[in-house]
Structure formats: structure tokens, C-alpha cells
Amino acid sequence: MTSGITKRWILNILSVIFIIVIFIVFCLSYTISTYYTRSVEQSISIRCNELEKIFTDVTTDTTTDFLSTAQKYIEDFPHKELMELQSLNSVGRTILTSTGFFPDEKEKMPDLEQALAAKEGYAITESELSTGENIMAGTKVIRSQEGTVLGAIRYVVSMEDIHTSNILYTLIFSLMGGTVLIAVYISGRFLLRSIVGPIKEMSQTARIIAEGDFETPDLTKKYDDEIGDLSDSINYMAHELKQTEQLKNDFISRVSHELRTPLTAIKGWSETMLLTGDDIDRQTFQKGMNVILKESGRLTSIVEELLDFSRIQSGRMKLITEKTDLVAELDEAVYMMKERSIKEQKHLMFDTPIEPFPPVLGDKNRLRQVFLNILDNALKYTSEGGNVIVQILNQDNLIVVHISDTGCGIAPEDLPKVKDKFYKANQNVGGSGIGLAVADEIVQMHGGTLEITSGIGVGTTVTIKIPVYNEAEIVEMEEINKGEING
Ligand code: ADP
């Protein structure tokens, strides 16, 4: 069965080519046929003009003069095999013919009357004899000097050969046209098969992928062209979807695990306290309550991170911006992490600059959240005794924050992907794998950048750059926005 594209190709292209070929065949046949007919007509016309001179050169004042000149002319005529010559009297009766055969007198040819009426003195007509033969006849009227009609000379050419060759040419042209059409059809079918086949295969594969099977699809690249590129893209898409699916599944199990750990601690301590009842001593009670508080805090931050991630994914994350002192926010974040670093026996160092820093336009809480996230990672991936060094600099209208650690580092092949959602380079340490993705998005929303450099066993440096608050630029931007809204 012809598929959609093939049907469209036949309708849109092949039918147009068919019409063009028919038109060309018709034009060629018509031109050839007209050319031959005109040649005969021209040749008769030359002969008729020639007669004028022949009959004026000799004295032809009487019918007898005309008859003798006509007889001589017919006898001496060199092209008798190409055309028949007839001599007619003044009333149109054939008196002499070059073939010796006389036409049927009932056969009325319109040429004599037309020649009598014509200014040139001759007329050329095409007609069909009673035998069915097609002829072209040219009749030239011969007049005396006073203008009396003495008779006429008629040239008769059979058009049968010309008609036969016209038919032959038409057949040849039609055959050539047909060959062109067949060639176009065959090459078109081959081309279509090379397009339709892979497209069908690809649509089948796309359906398999849509049904969630990312393993089966493996399209073979048959052609090194756009179709080949498309099958490569589909393979790549299946591969990426497979990885994302894997990452998503890992993420769900990781997050479930992350949620279960604090929940187990909360549940355990709650049960202990409930079972012990009033017999619980103050110290154990406080210890239990601290664990419950700490673990609920952990749960809250996991849920907050998930909510932020979902807000970013759906584009609902909004910043509440104001002039912000980045040094103060960084200082606050370092302060919040200080106790933990001491507990984990890691050196967290930050020399708060004395000189004032220009403000940035930012969301205080979000920026602090970014610093906390990076610091959390730095501490998480650095072992006991390691260092986490925080620096802030004012460089060319940018506030630059470096958070470096002497931790495990990130492998070069993982480095480009760590900012991707769900991606975890280190599976041994807990974490959802979305922290850096959220931090990167927040920094970008502030018009800044977050870059990571790292080396295995050397450590990691995260560099955050946020543009300095520029009143003139902000006023200009607000005016542009206002203009756009009013416009
Ligand atoms: P996670 O919750 O797993 O820490 P992140 O998005 O914050 O998720 O980080 C993604 C991955 O980047 C981590 O799993 C880890 O492998 C790597 N990573 C991030 N920060 C550091 C760091 N300071 N040192 C080593 N590896 C890091």
C-alpha cells in the first residue's frame, strides 16, 4: 500500500512532471508538424512567385500562349517526384498534369476561387481528396496583360508522408517522455523508500520510548544525512532518558533513605521517652529532645530543598530582592556552620574583610542558602583535619566568593555534570544530588555565575560571582520595563 508521503509525492510531484512531459511532447510534435507544413507551403509559395516571372518573360496574351508556356513549364519541371503540376483553364478544368492522371472533375478544390480573389494571385489550401489522401495545393492564376484570366497552374503535394513522419515523431517523443516519467518514478520510489522506511522505524522506536522502554531502541544509522542525524538524535534521546530515569530512581531511593534516617531517630527517641514515662531522668530527656529537634530540622531542610527544586523546575521560584551586603550573609552562613566544623574537627576559616563592600541586588535568604549549601558540601566531602577556606573579593564590579576545601575532590569526568539535577559523583556520602542544581539556579537568577574547579585528592573550589548593585542600570532597566508595559 502506498504510504502518506508516497501518495503526496505522486500527487504533488509526479503528476506535475507528467503534465509537463505531456506538454513538452505536445509542443515538440506541434512544432515539428508545423515546421514541415510551413516548409511545403513555403516551397509552393516560392514556385508560385517563380511563375510570375516565367509567364511575363514569354508573351502570354492568349489562351494558346498560356497553354504552350504551361506545357513547356510542366515538361521541364525538375521536381515532379516531389509535387504534381497541373495546368487549369480559365474555368478551372484540368488540361494538363505532370503525372498524366487527371483528377476527378467532381472534386471541387477551393483554391482556384481563393487564388482569383487573392491580391498575390495565388492561394494555398489543404484538403482531403475523395480517396482519403491529404494534400496541399497551391494555385497561381495567370492573366494576360489586360488582366484577362488565361488559366492557372496548380501545385499539388501529398501530405501523407509528412503526416506519417509527424505520427512517428509524436510516438518517439511520447516514448522519450514515458521513459523520463518511468525513470523519475523509479528514482523517486528509491528515494522515498530510503526516507519512509527509516521514518517508520523511527516512529515505532519513538512509540517504544514513549511507553517507557529505553533499553530496546537502537536505531542503525543507514545514511549519513539528515535522516541519519535524526536516528542518531533518537538514540541519544533514548540514552539520555535512560540515564535521567536511572538518576530519578536513584534520587527517589536516596531521598527516601535521607528522610527515613531522621524519622527513625525521631521515632526511636519518642518511643523511648513514652515507654520510660515519668521515670526518665532529666539528662536523657534533654538528649532525646535534642535529637528530635535536630532530626526534625534535618527533615525540614530536606523538604525545603525538595520544594525549592520543584519551584525551580516549574519556574515558580521568586526572589525578594533588596540592596544586600554579601559579606554579612556569608559571615552569617560561616557562623552557622562553625559549630558543626568544630564538632567534625575540620578547620573552617574566613577572614571577614574590614573595608566595606558595595552591596548587591539580591534575596538575602536565598543567597545565604547558597552559601550554606556550598559550605555543607565542602564540610561533607572533607575528612577530619581538612580545611575549608572562605574568601570574598571585590573585583571589577563583581563580588567574588571562593569556598575551597581540601576534600576528596571531583573526578574530571564528573565535574561537568555535578551541577545537573539528581547527579551525584560520590555515592558514599548522603545527599539528594539537587543542592548544586538549586544553588546554581539561584545564583543565575541574581545575574551571577557559579563555577567549580576540582582535582581528585586536591580538593574543590566553588567560585560565585554576583554583580555589584548599580543604581543607574537598575533605574534604566525599570524604565525599559515600564516602557515595554506601556508600549
Ligand atoms: P549532594 O546532595 O549529593 O551533595 P549536590 O548537588 O550538592 O548534591 O552535589 C552534587 C555532587 O557533586 C555530589 O554528590 C558530590 O559528588 C559532588 N560535590 C559537590 N561539592 C563537592 C565538594 N566540595 N567536594 C567533592 N565533591 C563535591
Side-chain angles (χ1 to χ4, degrees), residues 319-339:
L319 297 182
I320 303 159
T321 52
E322 59 189 303
K323 269 191 197 174
T324 303
D325 178 7
L326 218 54
V327 178
E329 295 317 316
L330 186 62
D331 206 26
E332 172 84 13
V334 173
Y335 177 76
M336 284 165 82
M337 284 293 178
K338 196 76 192 168
E339 200 185 316

Side-chain angles (χ1 to χ4, degrees), residues 377-378 380-381 405 410 418 423-426 431-436 460:
N377 275 350
K380 204 160 65 175
Y381 297 104
D405 63 61
I410 305 165
V418 286
Y423 195 86
K424 266 185 82 74
N426 191 333
S432 57
I434 53 172
L436 276 182
T460 304

Side-chain angles (χ1 to χ4, degrees), residues 54-55 58-76 87 95-96 142 150 153:
I54 290 168
F55 282 85
V58 287
T59 339
T60 40
D61 274 344
T62 59
T63 316
T64 331
D65 292 341
F66 162 73
L67 282 175
S68 61
T69 314
Q71 187 176 10
K72 189 160 177 346
Y73 177 68
I74 291 173
E75 274 167 13
D76 296 345
S87 163
I95 304 160
L96 209 66
I142 309 292
L150 301 173
I153 298 286

Side-chain angles (χ1 to χ4, degrees), residues 198 201-202 205 217-223 227-228 231-232 235:
E201 207 182 322
M202 280 186 256
T205 309
D218 186 20
L219 291 164
T220 27
K221 187 177 181 171
K222 290 188 191 124
Y223 307 97
I227 299 274
S231 61
D232 270 356
N235 280 342

Side-chain angles (χ1 to χ4, degrees), residues 51-318:
L51 283 175
E52 193 74 56
K53 195 173 167 329
I54 290 168
F55 282 85
T56 7
D57 281 356
V58 287
T59 339
T60 40
D61 274 344
T62 59
T63 316
T64 331
D65 292 341
F66 162 73
L67 282 175
S68 61
T69 314
Q71 187 176 10
K72 189 160 177 346
Y73 177 68
I74 291 173
E75 274 167 13
D76 296 345
F77 189 66
H79 308 296
K80 287 187 192 120
E81 73 288 351
L82 295 177
M83 53 177 82
E84 185 189 341
L85 243 80
Q86 296 174 356
S87 163
L88 315 179
N89 66 11
S90 57
V91 289
R93 263 195 82 181
T94 315
I95 304 160
L96 209 66
T97 69
S98 60
T99 54
F101 295 105
F102 285 84
D104 189 348
E105 279 309 315
K106 280 178 256 154
E107 200 112 53
K108 260 271 178 245
M109 284 202 232
D111 53 337
L112 182 63
E113 277 152 38
Q114 284 182 18
L116 284 167
K119 210 165 67 194
E120 307 86 16
Y122 68 86
I124 300 167
T125 56
E126 264 190 86
S127 53
E128 196 184 303
L129 298 179
S130 53
T131 51
E133 188 184 356
N134 286 299
I135 54 141
M136 185 180 280
T139 304
K140 165 79 182 166
V141 177
I142 309 292
R143 294 174 197 267
S144 67
Q145 275 180 350
E146 289 80 43
T148 328
V149 176
L150 301 173
I153 298 286
R154 178 188 277 151
Y155 298 91
V156 181
V157 179
S158 167
M159 299 299 279
E160 285 308 299
D161 284 352
I162 289 174
H163 281 179
T164 315
S165 46
N166 280 347
I167 291 170
L168 199 74
Y169 277 121
T170 308
L171 273 176
I172 292 171
F173 293 144
S174 307
L175 213 69
M176 279 161 65
T179 316
V180 168
L181 275 178
I182 291 171
V184 169
Y185 181 77
I186 292 172
S187 72
R189 282 306 286 240
F190 268 111
L191 178 75
L192 281 178
R193 197 170 302 163
S194 70
I195 295 172
V196 174
I199 286 183
K200 270 188 188 159
E201 207 182 322
M202 280 186 256
S203 91
Q204 232 165 5
T205 309
R207 212 160 289 146
I208 294 174
I209 295 172
E211 280 160 15
D213 178 0
F214 308 123
E215 297 290 339
T216 327
D218 186 20
L219 291 164
T220 27
K221 187 177 181 171
K222 290 188 191 124
Y223 307 97
D224 196 13
D225 55 12
E226 288 86 345
I227 299 274
D229 289 349
L230 186 59
S231 61
D232 270 356
S233 304
I234 290 183
N235 280 342
Y236 177 66
M237 182 180 78
H239 175 258
E240 287 295 297
L241 282 171
K242 188 177 148 192
Q243 275 200 341
T244 313
E245 180 73 6
Q246 184 63 47
L247 281 175
K248 192 190 79 190
N249 291 341
D250 289 353
F251 170 74
I252 292 169
S253 75
R254 256 195 329 261
V255 169
S256 316
H257 184 77
E258 293 272 318
L259 291 173
R260 205 178 51 193
T261 317
L263 278 176
T264 316
I266 292 169
K267 191 169 171 248
W269 272 105
S270 314
E271 276 171 1
T272 312
M273 283 152 87
L274 204 68
L275 284 175
T276 326
D278 291 342
D279 302 338
I280 193 162
D281 62 277
R282 180 102 201 121
Q283 209 184 350
T284 319
F285 177 79
Q286 252 184 348
K287 194 178 166 196
M289 282 315 281
N290 272 338
V291 170
I292 291 172
L293 251 171
K294 199 182 115 207
E295 295 303 319
S296 351
R298 218 168 114 184
L299 275 180
T300 313
S301 61
I302 295 170
V303 172
E304 279 300 331
E305 193 176 57
L306 290 175
L307 283 173
D308 280 347
F309 176 70
S310 136
R311 274 186 211 117
I312 285 172
Q313 288 294 296
S314 59
R316 281 184 291 115
M317 165 85 81
K318 294 273 175 292

